[in-house]
Amino acid sequence: MAREDEDWRRLYEQDREPDIEDSQAGVIFYNDTVIEHFTNPCNVGEIDDADGFALIGDPSCGDQMKLWIKVEAGHIIDIKFKSFGCPGAIATSSMATTLAMGMHLDDARQLTDDDVVRALGGIPANKQHCSLMGISALQAAIRDYEQRIVQRP
Amino acid sequence: MNKRTTIYLDHNATTPLCPEAREAMLPFIDGLYGNPSSYHHVGRQARSAVEAARRTIAEIFGCSPAEAVFTAGGTEANNLALRGAAAALKDRGRHIITSAIEHHSVLKTAEALGRDGFDITFLPVDAQGVVAPQAAADAIRPDTILISVMHANNETGAVQPVEVIGGAARQRGIAFHTDAVQAFGKIPQGAVFEYADMVTVTAHKAYGPRGAGALLVRRGTPLVPLMTGGHHEQGLRPGTENVAAIGGFAAAAEQAVAKLASESARIAALRDRFEALLLQAISNIAINSRGAPRVPNTSNVCFAGIESESVLLHLDLLGICASAGSACTTGEPEPSHVLRALGLSSVQAQGAVRFSLGRATTVEQIDTVAAALAGIVKKLREVSSL
Ligand code: FES
């Protein structure tokens, strides 16, 4: 019946014809950096003993993500995410967590979706909103961490 | 690195042009430039090509040539049917019945008529995506002027009981329209005017060119044109005919009918093999409308816990073309209105991918896509937060 796994994996190795460029229309498809972060996302997973956690949903499209951080001496020493989302959401979350990894909380709080999109080299116009998910989750996880500190006896 | 081979499983969006259609079109792209309305011989060459195409289409559907109105495609034909009949019949009543799973060119047109003072009933479907004929009969009122129910659904492939619904409409003297764009060339249709007054078909879903379609209008059906400006197409569709595309449409339609029996059996077997492979290799999937009568080429699969665009991009990177819901919905974040009408939650509907097979589909392609999907789904589920 079905062929062996390796058989279809070879298809990833094939040449891709470049999408037809239309300078007027702007970016209409994901660039190679975005596709790389989508096919091999960084920092996927969960942190069992996380210091901060957030669950974020995008009500417009129904996509969802979870993000965990581990904090030590004011720095994010580990960060992980999981996403039920489109390629844009997965790739931007991968980039957002990559940027935030190792950062001091003061710097991480300053990160915006623009930083993520810039680091990826752009994202199609109708996918801009997806880049908010990773950043909102990061900011919410930092707030969650801060609340836990305040509540600590 | 080697050159990408494309595996195209999106035939419900559009199909490649068959050689016969291409042959029929070439003379009218290259040399024969006449306007079919012109008096002289250059015009008459074009006129005779359009009329020959009209006879072919009429023969296929068992109607008279005067009953075939060429349009630019399915969307235009659906608009003409709904808006044209509503305008012609508005003094008799203002109630129109359609279904919740229609293509947007019917659904959005019905909604627009609703804003213009018509009263629209959207018939629900059962969990298999089929309209109950009884529900259609029960919805009929004294002021009902038009019923429009599609023949086969573009997303699920579910075939609707149009003969029964159309029969009930005719008994009550109500005009019945069916959007047969996805049924044409996939299931036998026979003499459509036995149950329908208007039928929409289009060339490019049946290996003809984009840019030509037809509304078949049974003699005596009240209909007013949407546009003014010419006598063309029995006065129902003004504008110089797209001669090459109309010729290609007729040639493709002839082929579609000639190949229907053998191709539908072959494609149904491939579709069944595809679904069996998926069910065997991937847990937590559901095949929508599997319990309904379906056109043979369509398989709509929900992959729990993952989002369809992510599946589509992985497939595309492998050279495989599929679609999430209908291609017309791309760019809209809302999940499919068809799958929602089947009772799926929006999260379930978000994981739906449509595979539509066609003439060039092979067993090897089906096996490759099934194996690829098993890998892709595993990968995406590892990332999923659900
Ligand atoms: S479409 Fe929802 S996050 Fe991209």
Side-chain angles (χ1 to χ4, degrees):
Chain A
M1 291 289 265
R3 294 158 158 215
E4 291 308 305
D5 258 6
E6 292 67 38
D7 244 14
W8 67 267
R9 272 180 208 283
R10 272 187 307 122
L11 296 175
Y12 277 115
E13 305 303 315
Q14 298 179 111
D15 271 342
R16 284 194 280 125
E17 315 90 44
D19 277 55
I20 295 166
E21 294 264 352
D22 181 344
S23 53
Q24 301 300 303
V27 194
I28 58 166
F29 196 61
Y30 303 111
N31 66 34
D32 288 347
T33 312
V34 176
I35 287 177
E36 177 55 30
H37 274 271
F38 164 68
T39 45
N40 295 303
C42 311
N43 306 312
V44 171
E46 307 182 7
I47 303 176
D48 288 337
D49 55 342
D51 299 313
F53 167 75
L55 166 63
I56 290 283
D58 183 326
S60 74
C61 62
D63 290 348
Q64 185 216 71
M65 82 172 284
K66 292 176 178 167
L67 187 141
W68 295 259
I69 51 172
K70 187 102 193 105
V71 179
E72 224 175 83
H75 286 78
I76 297 176
I77 59 153
D78 198 9
I79 181 164
K80 290 262 188 293
F81 81 95
K82 282 196 160 182
S83 170
F84 167 69
C86 72
I90 291 173
T92 54
S93 301
S94 169
M95 181 53 88
T97 54
T98 302
L99 292 176
M101 180 76 88
M103 256 190 187
H104 193 277
L105 286 178
D106 290 343
D107 299 324
R109 268 190 290 264
Q110 307 300 317
L111 279 177
T112 67
D113 50 328
D114 284 344
D115 298 325
V116 175
V117 171
R118 209 172 305 125
L120 285 168
I123 192 150
N126 63 340
K127 288 282 153 187
Q128 288 287 346
H129 75 276
C130 313
S131 62
L132 269 172
M133 290 250 283
I135 283 297
S136 321
L138 171 66
Q139 303 306 347
I142 294 174
R143 282 196 300 278
D144 177 53
Y145 162 75
E146 289 163 345
Q147 289 206 328
R148 293 190 201 188
I149 298 286
V150 176
Q151 281 160 11
R152 228 170 258 174
Chain B
M1 290 280 208
N2 46 346
K3 183 91 178 71
R4 168 152 81 180
T5 48
T6 295
I7 300 180
Y8 187 76
L9 297 184
D10 201 12
H11 290 82
N12 287 8
T14 197
T15 53
L17 195 70
C18 67
E20 293 82 1
R22 181 176 180 277
E23 282 303 304
M25 294 174 74
L26 279 178
F28 297 93
I29 292 169
D30 253 358
L32 304 178
Y33 53 84
N35 182 330
S37 299
S38 297
Y39 173 79
H40 44 67
H41 69 282
V42 175
R44 289 197 304 275
Q45 289 169 330
R47 164 64 49 208
S48 78
V50 169
E51 294 314 318
R54 197 185 310 283
R55 284 194 298 275
T56 302
I57 296 294
E59 200 174 317
I60 285 171
F61 290 96
C63 61
S64 85
E67 293 172 311
V69 177
F70 288 122
T71 66
T75 292
E76 189 197 326
N78 283 339
N79 269 268
L80 175 58
L82 266 72
R83 292 177 193 273
L89 293 165
K90 62 176 189 300
D91 294 332
R92 258 178 53 192
R94 299 212 149 217
H95 182 227
I96 296 170
I97 299 170
T98 186
S99 86
I101 56 162
E102 296 298 312
H103 185 265
H104 273 166
S105 57
V106 167
L107 202 70
K108 298 284 173 188
T109 304
E111 286 171 10
L113 288 168
R115 288 190 294 274
D116 285 346
F118 288 87
D119 196 4
I120 319 289
T121 298
F122 294 96
L123 299 170
V125 292
D126 62 18
Q128 292 298 329
V130 179
V131 175
Q134 193 54 45
D138 291 347
I140 295 176
R141 310 192 313 214
D143 62 337
T144 305
I145 51 169
L146 174 68
I147 302 177
S148 177
V149 175
M150 70 195 333
H151 199 158
N153 184 263
N154 47 311
E155 293 188 33
T156 63
V159 176
Q160 306 301 318
V162 286
E163 289 91 348
V164 188
I165 298 172
R170 183 154 305 171
Q171 245 178 16
R172 309 278 293 265
I174 299 164
F176 180 67
H177 165 250
T178 186
D179 172 1
V181 161
Q182 294 291 350
F184 177 52
K186 295 179 184 138
I187 51 174
Q189 287 178 291
V192 289
F193 285 162
E194 280 174 16
Y195 59 89
D197 300 297
M198 294 182 284
V199 180
T200 295
V201 284
T202 197
H204 77 102
K205 312 281 191 192
Y207 306 88
R210 283 141 289 274
L215 183 67
L216 311 173
V217 185
R218 187 170 168 250
R219 188 173 295 119
T221 307
L223 197 62
V224 298
L226 302 183
M227 298 184 288
T228 43
H231 51 85
H232 315 75
E233 300 298 311
Q234 291 77 251
L236 286 170
R237 205 283 186 169
T240 302
E241 296 88 342
N242 186 349
V243 181
I246 287 170
F249 177 18
E254 268 182 319
Q255 289 302 311
V257 172
K259 291 188 162 73
L260 196 147
S262 61
E263 273 299 284
S264 64
R266 189 186 73 87
I267 290 173
L270 289 178
R271 192 261 321 265
D272 293 346
R273 178 186 178 98
F274 178 63
E275 293 182 346
L277 286 174
L278 291 190
L279 287 166
Q280 179 190 314
I282 311 174
S283 61
N284 281 316
I285 63 169
I287 294 162
N288 297 306
S289 291
R290 198 167 186 230
R294 282 186 293 172
V295 290
N297 80 318
T298 307
S299 186
N300 189 303
V301 187
C302 276
F303 300 98
I306 54 183
E307 196 268 345
S308 56
E309 195 203 329
S310 293
V311 181
L312 290 186
L313 179 52
H314 268 297
L315 288 172
D316 188 35
L317 294 172
L318 302 175
I320 302 165
C321 308
S323 134
S326 89
C328 305
T329 335
T330 311
E332 282 181 37
E334 298 97 53
S336 146
H337 68 281
V338 174
L339 299 181
R340 297 288 280 141
L342 264 69
L344 270 64
S345 72
S346 71
V347 168
Q348 287 171 317
Q350 256 172 293
V353 180
R354 179 188 72 185
F355 304 90
S356 44
L357 287 53
R359 259 177 222 168
T361 310
T362 62
V363 176
E364 290 71 29
Q365 291 183 343
I366 288 300
D367 291 357
T368 301
V369 175
L373 278 166
I376 290 167
V377 169
K378 183 164 175 284
K379 210 172 151 96
L380 287 171
R381 280 185 178 159
E382 281 163 12
V383 182
S384 176
S385 59
L386 288 186

